[in-house]
Amino acid sequence: MSLMRRHQQAVQNGMVVEQQPRKATGVIAVVPTGFMAERQLLTQLTSALREDFARLSALQSVERKQDLKRDELIPKYAPYVRRLKREGQQHELLGWYLVWLLDAGEMEEGLEHGLWCIAHNVPLPERFNRTVPTLMADAVADWAEPLVACGESVEPYLGLCVHAADGLCGQWDIPDKLSARLLKLHGDACAASERWELAVEAYEAAFERGASVKTVLDKARKQLAKAAQ
């Protein structure tokens, strides 16, 4: 079942789609349930995050930062993210986990966790001056752009964002410039696979939002007309 379909089904059923548990590699103490225990867990998470922020700050290489997030931090905190979700607890870890997933290129889990954050009004950490949908759309665009240029598949992740961006899902309020970028990328992907009708639709929508797509739009229209003959 596609990511988009699973999300639609989850929304209809009032459920949340979650990934299979990652293998934990962290050293945070296992805390029993109960009110005081929950407070203790939140305190431990805050302390652990501060230590890991310092580790990230000590790295100058973007690639090394991404490796640390993907190979250590995401597996380390995954069990605690699941627990926070399950128990309805709010903590900045939920927002940071989304940022790390997207930074590490974990698109499927990143989008599913992001959709959960949107559904439960979970904000990004304070230092981020943008919304969860904007972060998700921006991350997918950055991830998809080099893949589209190489002719590689970017579905279902780009499609999910495009449907949200152009109003088909009626969920996301993101800048028109970002919507235009996503739609142009979608048009490029469709054109590369000679799906000319979809390419024209995507380019026209991107053009309405200010994208410079006149040349590729004209080409797609010509190819569509040629295919219809």
Side-chain angles (χ1 to χ4, degrees):
M1 184 182 297
S2 69
L3 175 65
M4 185 63 169
R5 179 58 187 150
R6 280 188 288 156
H7 171 58
Q8 291 172 334
Q9 190 174 81
V11 170
Q12 291 170 359
N13 296 336
M15 300 168 60
V16 175
V17 179
E18 293 194 18
Q19 290 289 97
Q20 291 298 315
R22 290 175 178 267
K23 182 178 179 181
T25 60
V27 294
I28 303 174
V30 177
V31 182
T33 58
F35 177 73
M36 294 304 295
E38 294 301 335
R39 291 178 61 89
Q40 184 181 353
L41 174 62
L42 297 181
T43 299
Q44 288 181 341
L45 286 174
T46 299
S47 178
L49 280 175
R50 297 297 172 267
E51 294 177 4
D52 287 324
F53 291 157
R55 294 174 64 196
L56 286 167
S57 296
L59 297 174
Q60 298 187 48
S61 166
V62 173
E63 184 177 356
R64 287 180 179 271
K65 288 178 187 285
Q66 291 174 336
D67 289 344
L68 177 59
K69 293 170 186 177
R70 180 182 59 253
D71 299 336
E72 294 188 42
L73 300 187
I74 292 173
K76 173 181 178 178
Y77 287 102
Y80 306 102
V81 169
R82 291 196 298 272
R83 179 170 175 174
L84 292 171
K85 288 180 174 183
R86 183 174 64 248
E87 298 178 357
Q89 295 281 347
Q90 288 284 340
H91 192 275
E92 63 176 322
L93 171 60
L94 294 170
W96 280 114
Y97 192 71
L98 174 60
V99 172
W100 293 340
L101 287 169
L102 296 175
D103 284 350
E106 300 283 352
M107 286 297 114
E108 180 159 358
E109 188 175 358
L111 290 178
E112 288 185 346
H113 180 60
L115 291 169
W116 183 91
C117 289
I118 292 171
H120 292 80
N121 298 313
V122 174
L124 292 174
E126 290 184 2
R127 71 180 65 179
F128 290 88
N129 188 26
R130 51 182 169 168
T131 65
V132 170
T134 300
L135 174 75
M136 292 168 64
D138 223 357
V140 170
D142 288 342
W143 167 82
E145 197 162 43
L147 296 177
V148 170
C150 294
E152 297 186 30
S153 175
V154 290
E155 297 303 332
Y157 314 119
L158 178 60
L160 174 63
C161 288
V162 167
H163 294 320
D166 70 6
L168 294 180
C169 293
Q171 293 181 30
W172 292 2
D173 177 20
I174 64 177
D176 286 342
K177 186 176 181 179
L178 180 52
S179 296
R181 184 186 179 198
L182 288 167
L183 287 161
K184 181 185 181 299
L185 284 170
H186 186 52
D188 290 343
C190 292
S193 57
E194 299 185 353
R195 294 174 292 165
W196 298 114
E197 184 174 359
L198 293 176
V200 168
E201 291 177 359
Y203 287 142
E204 287 177 343
F207 182 77
E208 291 174 358
R209 290 163 176 78
S212 300
V213 294
K214 189 175 186 306
T215 299
V216 289
L217 174 56
D218 288 343
K219 178 182 177 181
R221 284 172 172 166
K222 290 177 182 178
Q223 291 294 336
L224 178 60
K226 182 178 179 181
Q229 292 177 353

